[in-house]
Every structure is written in C-alpha cells, then in structure tokens.
Amino acid sequence: MSSFDPILPGEPDEPAAESTSAPVDFVVDLTAHEMLRRTHALAALGPDWDPVAALRGEEEAYDLLYSGLDAEQQRIYDELVAAGVLPRRGGGDAAA
C-alpha cells in the first residue's frame, strides 16, 4: 500500500491476511418443495378442473378477441401477424 492510497474510516491500516480456507459448496435441493407447491396448486383447482377444456376456452376467447375488428384494427392486426408478433386467429365472424 502506497502513501497515496486512501484509508477509509473503519478500515484497518494494513490489508487483511489472505484466507486459507477453501470455498464451500452450497447446494439446496428444492425438489420436495416444488412437488408440495404443485400438489397445493392442483388441490386448489379442485377435482373437476379439466385442463383440456380450460385450454379450449382460452383459445376460443383469443379467437373472439381478434374477431370483429374495424378496418384500422384489422390493418394493425395484419401487420403484427406479418411481423410474427401475433399468430393468425379468428375468422372475423364474431359480433363486434
């Protein structure tokens, strides 16, 4: 350490000696916790939850969302589809 190196308040005047202890591997296995989380999530959904029906309903909702657009909305939608931002959806036949 040169005389030009600042010593901040609370720092020792001499550098600390190098530690001779080796790094310790620290591993946490969260597998059991993740399985418990999934169990609680499925229990909260209930026994009559149908994932296929839920997905089908979600797809139908998206189809309705992108149907019945006015000319400007349709133009913007087509640009987003052409750019690959949105997938092509809906037949445009739902009520606006």
Side-chain angles (χ1 to χ4, degrees):
M1 180 184 321
S2 74
S3 60
F4 298 107
D5 291 336
I7 297 177
L8 299 174
E11 282 189 356
D13 291 340
E14 294 297 321
E18 298 250 348
S19 174
T20 58
S21 63
V24 176
D25 286 338
F26 184 75
V27 179
V28 176
D29 184 4
L30 297 175
T31 305
H33 184 271
E34 177 62 14
M35 295 310 295
L36 181 63
R37 185 195 67 79
R38 288 181 185 185
T39 300
H40 286 288
L42 289 174
L45 289 170
D48 35 331
W49 177 66
D50 182 3
V52 175
L55 183 59
R56 189 177 304 117
E58 187 174 315
E59 291 296 319
E60 290 171 1
Y62 275 118
D63 288 342
L64 284 173
L65 178 65
Y66 294 114
S67 65
L69 303 176
D70 66 26
E72 178 65 10
Q73 292 168 332
Q74 188 65 49
R75 183 190 64 76
I76 293 171
Y77 173 75
D78 291 337
E79 287 180 12
L80 292 171
V81 169
V85 175
L86 292 174
R88 171 72 50 196
R89 291 187 176 274
D93 55 359

